[in-house]
Amino acid sequence: MRTSQWSMAALTAMAVAAVSISVLPLPSAADHAAAPHWSYSGDTGPTHWSTMDPAFSACATGATQSPIDLVSSTAKAGKAGEFHIDYEKGTVSVVNNGHTEQANVSDPKDTVAFDGDTYRLAQFHFHTPSEHTTDGKRFPLEIHFVNQNDRKKIVVVGVLVELGKKNDSLAALFSHLPASGEKAATESKPSVSVDLASVLPRNHEAYVYSGSLTTPPCSEGVRWIVLSHPIQMSQDQIHSFSKIFPDNHRPLQKANGREVDDETE
Ligand SMILES: [Zn+2]
């Protein structure tokens, strides 16, 4: 689909969504209005991202791209207490930005302490199937919690989702997912209640590594904390997302010798 076919409302919301996950320098609104429309298949799919816009060059030339396969046997035991995730119960507004369903978070109390710095949760969104794999295993869904510090550095907490019982913590959100045809005009009002603390697995053991955004512009310098214990969602819940976005995952990237630490909070 060409950019010209997108409504102004969709472009505006895409710009808002993109700004919240960008690494410095933050692109201007004008940059986004002119940005080409990327997708997950065909001639605007992942293998073409780097040639669609000079700003997307890292998608092809970057040496520390995400996602990667996380290999448990080679994971090193990391320093305990290097990170701490503190998410709480709150309300979010959900936007279909044309690439995923994104829940925007405005509660400044949702934070990740990492490496002596505080990162605030800006938004979370979903990919199906999962982008990261563990020992080659792919999951039906992956949630990305995008956190940013005062210097716009990004820490993403990845949560893998396996097929299982209905997830009550996400039930309200998944019953409100705006369909693709509605695009961004359908930011949910009133806000949807989500108990973020209970969305995460109880055990915060994680794979920690340096990577990138998994969407254009594929900016590097992103710290990843992928929790090693999956959570569960029902087939109906997963389908309520996949019927809107049947496949919005970026293929695995080369690890290029990166170290992945296996750490516990
Ligand atoms: Zn993501």
Side-chain angles (χ1 to χ4, degrees), residues 24-40:
L24 269 179
L26 289 174
S28 69
D31 291 341
H32 285 286
H37 176 63
W38 53 270
S39 75
Y40 287 97

Side-chain angles (χ1 to χ4, degrees), residues 116-128:
D117 215 343
T118 300
Y119 295 78
R120 294 185 197 291
L121 179 62
Q123 50 101 338
F124 59 95
H125 61 265
F126 308 88
H127 297 272
T128 187

Side-chain angles (χ1 to χ4, degrees), residues 213-233:
L213 301 180
T214 65
T215 56
C218 307
S219 312
E220 300 190 329
V222 174
R223 299 310 306 263
W224 280 92
I225 300 173
V226 181
L227 301 183
S228 45
H229 293 264
I231 63 168
Q232 293 190 347
M233 291 181 71

Side-chain angles (χ1 to χ4, degrees), residues 90-94 103-106 124 173 187-188 190-194 196:
T91 54
V92 300
S93 52
V94 185
N104 292 313
V105 180
S106 53
F124 59 95
L173 195 157
E187 177 153 2
S188 63
S191 297
V192 181
S193 170
V194 186
L196 289 178

Side-chain angles (χ1 to χ4, degrees), residues 60-132:
T61 61
T64 58
Q65 290 287 294
S66 295
I68 57 172
D69 181 46
L70 302 162
V71 184
S72 61
S73 62
T74 60
K76 300 193 331 177
K79 298 186 290 282
E82 191 183 351
F83 70 92
H84 179 76
I85 304 168
D86 186 10
Y87 292 165
E88 305 188 4
K89 192 178 283 187
T91 54
V92 300
S93 52
V94 185
V95 172
N96 179 324
N97 65 16
H99 303 294
T100 187
E101 302 282 351
Q102 178 172 307
N104 292 313
V105 180
S106 53
D107 190 343
K109 293 197 299 292
D110 296 313
T111 59
V112 175
F114 183 85
D115 229 3
D117 215 343
T118 300
Y119 295 78
R120 294 185 197 291
L121 179 62
Q123 50 101 338
F124 59 95
H125 61 265
F126 308 88
H127 297 272
T128 187
S130 69
E131 298 204 298
H132 290 93

